[in-house]
Amino acid sequence: MIRAAVAQGWGAPIAKACGMPFPDCNRCRRPESEELRKAWGCDAPTGRVVWRSSCPRCADAGVDCERCGGSGTAEHHRCPSAMLRKTPQYLQVKIDLLMRAYSHYDRRNVLPVAGAWLDQSRSFLAGVDLIDAERGFWERIRNDHDMREMERTKAQSQMSARQGRRR
């Protein structure tokens, strides 16, 4: 569920910037969006992949994994928001607290407990590792997109320059 929370927080803006389809709660909550809700798996799992994350078993290590088949990614057939809503309330609260604590740590270098890194709880440290890894997954998607766009732009400018010299 932490992966779904990271996808909701960091994956959605990256997917939007890269032109990738990603569930958008603002669009699917409209009364006329029943087909969109079905496509994104808001109410029930859908037959297509809605979003991807790093594999929970091999953590995108590129090894031969029975869960992901060595791809390093896990496919999800539900909207990340719907997945979080379906978790028990006590887990939703814990995930929310973890994401808030991570946000304070990431933005302001403020740890949840007084002291240094090793004074923090094991669960917080494990959560930070998981969130960092999942953010890295989304950052690689953005970097790959940026590299493809840069190569495309470079090829277009080279083609324009060649055509300009021929005249």
Side-chain angles (χ1 to χ4, degrees):
M1 288 307 126
I2 294 171
R3 284 179 170 79
V6 173
Q8 206 176 24
W10 284 278
I14 288 175
K16 185 176 182 178
C18 296
M20 297 168 45
F22 197 85
D24 180 3
C25 294
N26 292 327
R27 290 177 54 200
C28 75
R29 288 186 179 141
R30 297 178 189 151
E32 69 275 2
S33 61
E34 189 62 34
E35 289 300 315
L36 194 56
R37 293 183 66 78
K38 287 180 185 175
W40 283 342
C42 296
D43 303 314
T46 182
R48 69 175 190 85
V49 175
V50 176
W51 63 283
R52 289 180 171 82
S53 69
S54 62
C55 177
R57 181 153 304 144
C58 70
D60 199 14
V63 296
D64 188 25
C65 172
E66 62 187 46
R67 165 112 192 222
C68 68
S71 70
T73 61
E75 298 177 341
H76 302 279
H77 300 271
R78 294 285 314 263
C79 167
S81 297
M83 292 173 70
L84 288 169
R85 280 193 313 270
K86 296 293 182 191
T87 59
Q89 185 67 33
Y90 74 95
L91 280 179
Q92 289 180 21
V93 170
K94 288 181 180 190
I95 291 170
D96 183 56
L97 288 173
L98 173 63
M99 296 303 285
R100 288 172 190 256
Y102 181 86
S103 177
H104 289 293
Y105 159 71
D106 184 50
R107 293 181 185 166
R108 299 178 187 96
N109 292 325
V110 175
L111 294 168
V113 176
W117 184 252
L118 294 178
D119 296 321
Q120 306 308 306
S121 69
R122 287 187 201 174
S123 59
F124 175 73
L125 297 179
V128 167
D129 287 344
L130 179 59
I131 294 169
D132 281 344
E134 200 61 25
R135 281 184 69 187
F137 173 82
W138 287 104
E139 291 296 323
R140 283 190 301 279
I141 289 173
R142 186 178 67 190
N143 290 341
D144 290 347
H145 174 265
D146 291 347
M147 290 298 291
R148 283 192 305 273
E149 284 297 308
M150 191 170 61
E151 291 295 325
R152 186 182 61 79
T153 303
K154 182 179 174 182
Q156 284 179 343
S157 65
Q158 287 175 346
M159 186 174 285
S160 296
R162 285 187 211 131
Q163 289 175 352
R165 282 187 239 147
R166 290 181 189 168
R167 293 183 183 168

Short mmCIF file of all heavy atoms in Angstrom, two decimals, residues 103-134:
data_model
loop_
_atom_site.label_atom_id
_atom_site.label_comp_id
_atom_site.label_asym_id
_atom_site.label_seq_id
_atom_site.Cartn_x
_atom_site.Cartn_y
_atom_site.Cartn_z
N SER A 103 7.58 13.28 4.46
CA SER A 103 7.55 14.61 3.86
C SER A 103 8.36 15.61 4.69
O SER A 103 9.13 16.40 4.15
CB SER A 103 6.11 15.08 3.71
OG SER A 103 6.06 16.39 3.21
N HIS A 104 8.20 15.56 6.00
CA HIS A 104 8.98 16.45 6.88
C HIS A 104 10.47 16.13 6.79
O HIS A 104 11.30 17.04 6.76
CB HIS A 104 8.50 16.34 8.33
CG HIS A 104 7.16 16.95 8.55
ND1 HIS A 104 6.93 18.30 8.45
CD2 HIS A 104 5.98 16.39 8.87
CE1 HIS A 104 5.66 18.55 8.69
NE2 HIS A 104 5.06 17.40 8.95
N TYR A 105 10.78 14.85 6.74
CA TYR A 105 12.18 14.45 6.62
C TYR A 105 12.76 14.90 5.27
O TYR A 105 13.85 15.46 5.22
CB TYR A 105 12.28 12.92 6.77
CG TYR A 105 13.53 12.33 6.19
CD1 TYR A 105 14.76 12.54 6.81
CD2 TYR A 105 13.49 11.56 5.04
CE1 TYR A 105 15.91 12.01 6.28
CE2 TYR A 105 14.64 11.02 4.50
CZ TYR A 105 15.85 11.25 5.13
OH TYR A 105 16.99 10.73 4.59
N ASP A 106 12.00 14.71 4.20
CA ASP A 106 12.48 15.01 2.85
C ASP A 106 12.62 16.51 2.62
O ASP A 106 13.60 16.98 2.06
CB ASP A 106 11.53 14.40 1.83
CG ASP A 106 12.00 14.58 0.41
OD1 ASP A 106 13.18 14.27 0.14
OD2 ASP A 106 11.20 15.02 -0.43
N ARG A 107 11.63 17.27 3.04
CA ARG A 107 11.62 18.71 2.73
C ARG A 107 12.41 19.55 3.73
O ARG A 107 13.00 20.56 3.35
CB ARG A 107 10.18 19.21 2.69
CG ARG A 107 9.41 18.65 1.55
CD ARG A 107 8.02 19.18 1.52
NE ARG A 107 7.26 18.53 0.46
CZ ARG A 107 5.97 18.58 0.34
NH1 ARG A 107 5.25 19.25 1.22
NH2 ARG A 107 5.36 17.96 -0.64
N ARG A 108 12.38 19.15 5.00
CA ARG A 108 12.97 20.01 6.03
C ARG A 108 14.08 19.33 6.83
O ARG A 108 14.58 19.92 7.78
CB ARG A 108 11.86 20.45 6.98
CG ARG A 108 10.79 21.25 6.29
CD ARG A 108 9.70 21.64 7.27
NE ARG A 108 8.61 22.27 6.56
CZ ARG A 108 7.52 21.64 6.16
NH1 ARG A 108 7.35 20.36 6.40
NH2 ARG A 108 6.56 22.29 5.53
N ASN A 109 14.39 18.09 6.51
CA ASN A 109 15.37 17.32 7.28
C ASN A 109 14.99 17.21 8.74
O ASN A 109 15.85 17.26 9.63
CB ASN A 109 16.78 17.90 7.13
CG ASN A 109 17.31 17.74 5.74
OD1 ASN A 109 17.04 16.74 5.08
ND2 ASN A 109 18.06 18.72 5.27
N VAL A 110 13.69 17.07 9.01
CA VAL A 110 13.19 16.92 10.37
C VAL A 110 12.78 15.46 10.55
O VAL A 110 11.94 14.94 9.81
CB VAL A 110 11.96 17.84 10.62
CG1 VAL A 110 11.37 17.58 11.99
CG2 VAL A 110 12.37 19.29 10.46
N LEU A 111 13.38 14.82 11.53
CA LEU A 111 13.05 13.43 11.83
C LEU A 111 11.89 13.38 12.82
O LEU A 111 11.70 14.30 13.61
CB LEU A 111 14.28 12.72 12.41
CG LEU A 111 15.44 12.57 11.43
CD1 LEU A 111 16.71 12.13 12.15
CD2 LEU A 111 15.09 11.60 10.32
N PRO A 112 11.11 12.29 12.81
CA PRO A 112 9.94 12.23 13.68
C PRO A 112 10.26 12.14 15.17
O PRO A 112 9.47 12.57 16.01
CB PRO A 112 9.20 10.97 13.21
CG PRO A 112 10.14 10.21 12.38
CD PRO A 112 11.19 11.15 11.91
N VAL A 113 11.42 11.59 15.52
CA VAL A 113 11.80 11.44 16.92
C VAL A 113 13.07 12.25 17.14
O VAL A 113 13.95 12.28 16.28
CB VAL A 113 12.06 9.94 17.25
CG1 VAL A 113 12.56 9.76 18.67
CG2 VAL A 113 10.80 9.13 17.02
N ALA A 114 13.17 12.88 18.29
CA ALA A 114 14.37 13.66 18.61
C ALA A 114 15.59 12.75 18.55
O ALA A 114 15.54 11.59 18.94
CB ALA A 114 14.24 14.29 19.99
N GLY A 115 16.67 13.28 18.05
CA GLY A 115 17.90 12.50 17.96
C GLY A 115 18.35 12.39 16.52
O GLY A 115 17.92 13.14 15.64
N ALA A 116 19.23 11.43 16.30
CA ALA A 116 19.81 11.24 14.97
C ALA A 116 19.12 10.10 14.25
O ALA A 116 18.11 9.56 14.71
CB ALA A 116 21.31 10.96 15.12
N TRP A 117 19.68 9.73 13.11
CA TRP A 117 19.08 8.71 12.24
C TRP A 117 18.88 7.39 12.97
O TRP A 117 17.83 6.77 12.88
CB TRP A 117 19.98 8.54 11.02
CG TRP A 117 19.44 7.61 10.00
CD1 TRP A 117 19.91 6.36 9.72
CD2 TRP A 117 18.36 7.83 9.11
NE1 TRP A 117 19.17 5.80 8.71
CE2 TRP A 117 18.21 6.68 8.31
CE3 TRP A 117 17.48 8.89 8.89
CZ2 TRP A 117 17.24 6.56 7.33
CZ3 TRP A 117 16.52 8.78 7.91
CH2 TRP A 117 16.40 7.62 7.15
N LEU A 118 19.86 6.95 13.71
CA LEU A 118 19.77 5.65 14.38
C LEU A 118 18.84 5.67 15.60
O LEU A 118 18.55 4.62 16.16
CB LEU A 118 21.16 5.15 14.77
CG LEU A 118 22.06 4.82 13.58
CD1 LEU A 118 23.44 4.39 14.07
CD2 LEU A 118 21.44 3.76 12.70
N ASP A 119 18.38 6.85 16.01
CA ASP A 119 17.41 6.94 17.10
C ASP A 119 15.98 6.74 16.62
O ASP A 119 15.06 6.65 17.43
CB ASP A 119 17.52 8.30 17.80
CG ASP A 119 18.86 8.50 18.48
OD1 ASP A 119 19.36 7.51 19.05
OD2 ASP A 119 19.40 9.61 18.42
N GLN A 120 15.77 6.68 15.32
CA GLN A 120 14.44 6.53 14.75
C GLN A 120 13.99 5.07 14.83
O GLN A 120 14.81 4.16 14.93
CB GLN A 120 14.41 7.02 13.30
CG GLN A 120 14.95 8.42 13.11
CD GLN A 120 14.30 9.44 14.03
OE1 GLN A 120 13.08 9.55 14.06
NE2 GLN A 120 15.10 10.16 14.79
N SER A 121 12.68 4.87 14.74
CA SER A 121 12.16 3.50 14.81
C SER A 121 12.55 2.72 13.56
O SER A 121 12.76 3.30 12.48
CB SER A 121 10.63 3.53 14.94
OG SER A 121 10.05 4.00 13.74
N ARG A 122 12.63 1.42 13.70
CA ARG A 122 12.95 0.57 12.55
C ARG A 122 11.89 0.69 11.47
O ARG A 122 12.20 0.65 10.29
CB ARG A 122 13.04 -0.89 12.98
CG ARG A 122 14.25 -1.21 13.76
CD ARG A 122 14.31 -2.70 13.99
NE ARG A 122 15.15 -3.01 15.11
CZ ARG A 122 15.29 -4.22 15.60
NH1 ARG A 122 14.64 -5.23 15.07
NH2 ARG A 122 16.08 -4.43 16.61
N SER A 123 10.64 0.81 11.88
CA SER A 123 9.57 0.90 10.89
C SER A 123 9.68 2.18 10.07
O SER A 123 9.44 2.18 8.87
CB SER A 123 8.20 0.80 11.56
OG SER A 123 8.03 1.84 12.51
N PHE A 124 10.07 3.29 10.70
CA PHE A 124 10.25 4.54 9.95
C PHE A 124 11.41 4.41 8.98
O PHE A 124 11.30 4.81 7.82
CB PHE A 124 10.48 5.73 10.88
CG PHE A 124 10.78 7.00 10.15
CD1 PHE A 124 9.78 7.67 9.45
CD2 PHE A 124 12.06 7.52 10.11
CE1 PHE A 124 10.05 8.84 8.75
CE2 PHE A 124 12.33 8.68 9.42
CZ PHE A 124 11.33 9.34 8.73
N LEU A 125 12.52 3.83 9.44
CA LEU A 125 13.69 3.67 8.56
C LEU A 125 13.37 2.76 7.38
O LEU A 125 13.76 3.05 6.25
CB LEU A 125 14.87 3.13 9.36
CG LEU A 125 15.38 4.03 10.49
CD1 LEU A 125 16.53 3.36 11.21
CD2 LEU A 125 15.77 5.39 9.98
N ALA A 126 12.62 1.68 7.63
CA ALA A 126 12.22 0.79 6.54
C ALA A 126 11.27 1.52 5.59
O ALA A 126 11.36 1.35 4.36
CB ALA A 126 11.54 -0.45 7.10
N GLY A 127 10.37 2.33 6.14
CA GLY A 127 9.45 3.11 5.30
C GLY A 127 10.19 4.10 4.43
O GLY A 127 9.87 4.27 3.24
N VAL A 128 11.19 4.76 4.98
CA VAL A 128 12.00 5.71 4.20
C VAL A 128 12.71 4.98 3.06
O VAL A 128 12.73 5.48 1.93
CB VAL A 128 13.01 6.45 5.11
CG1 VAL A 128 14.06 7.19 4.29
CG2 VAL A 128 12.29 7.42 6.03
N ASP A 129 13.27 3.82 3.35
CA ASP A 129 13.94 3.05 2.30
C ASP A 129 12.97 2.68 1.19
O ASP A 129 13.29 2.80 0.00
CB ASP A 129 14.57 1.78 2.87
CG ASP A 129 15.82 2.06 3.69
OD1 ASP A 129 16.37 3.18 3.57
OD2 ASP A 129 16.23 1.17 4.46
N LEU A 130 11.78 2.24 1.56
CA LEU A 130 10.78 1.85 0.56
C LEU A 130 10.31 3.05 -0.25
O LEU A 130 10.23 2.99 -1.48
CB LEU A 130 9.59 1.17 1.24
CG LEU A 130 8.45 0.74 0.33
CD1 LEU A 130 8.93 -0.23 -0.73
CD2 LEU A 130 7.34 0.12 1.15
N ILE A 131 10.03 4.15 0.41
CA ILE A 131 9.57 5.36 -0.30
C ILE A 131 10.67 5.88 -1.22
O ILE A 131 10.41 6.25 -2.37
CB ILE A 131 9.10 6.43 0.70
CG1 ILE A 131 7.85 5.95 1.43
CG2 ILE A 131 8.83 7.75 -0.02
CD1 ILE A 131 7.45 6.81 2.61
N ASP A 132 11.90 5.91 -0.73
CA ASP A 132 13.02 6.36 -1.58
C ASP A 132 13.17 5.47 -2.81
O ASP A 132 13.39 5.97 -3.92
CB ASP A 132 14.33 6.37 -0.79
CG ASP A 132 14.47 7.58 0.11
OD1 ASP A 132 13.74 8.56 -0.07
OD2 ASP A 132 15.34 7.52 1.00
N ALA A 133 13.05 4.17 -2.62
CA ALA A 133 13.18 3.25 -3.76
C ALA A 133 12.05 3.47 -4.76
O ALA A 133 12.28 3.49 -5.97
CB ALA A 133 13.17 1.80 -3.27
N GLU A 134 10.85 3.66 -4.25
CA GLU A 134 9.71 3.87 -5.16
C GLU A 134 9.79 5.22 -5.85
O GLU A 134 9.48 5.35 -7.04
CB GLU A 134 8.40 3.71 -4.39
CG GLU A 134 7.22 3.43 -5.26
CD GLU A 134 7.35 2.14 -6.05
OE1 GLU A 134 8.08 1.22 -5.66
OE2 GLU A 134 6.71 2.07 -7.12
#
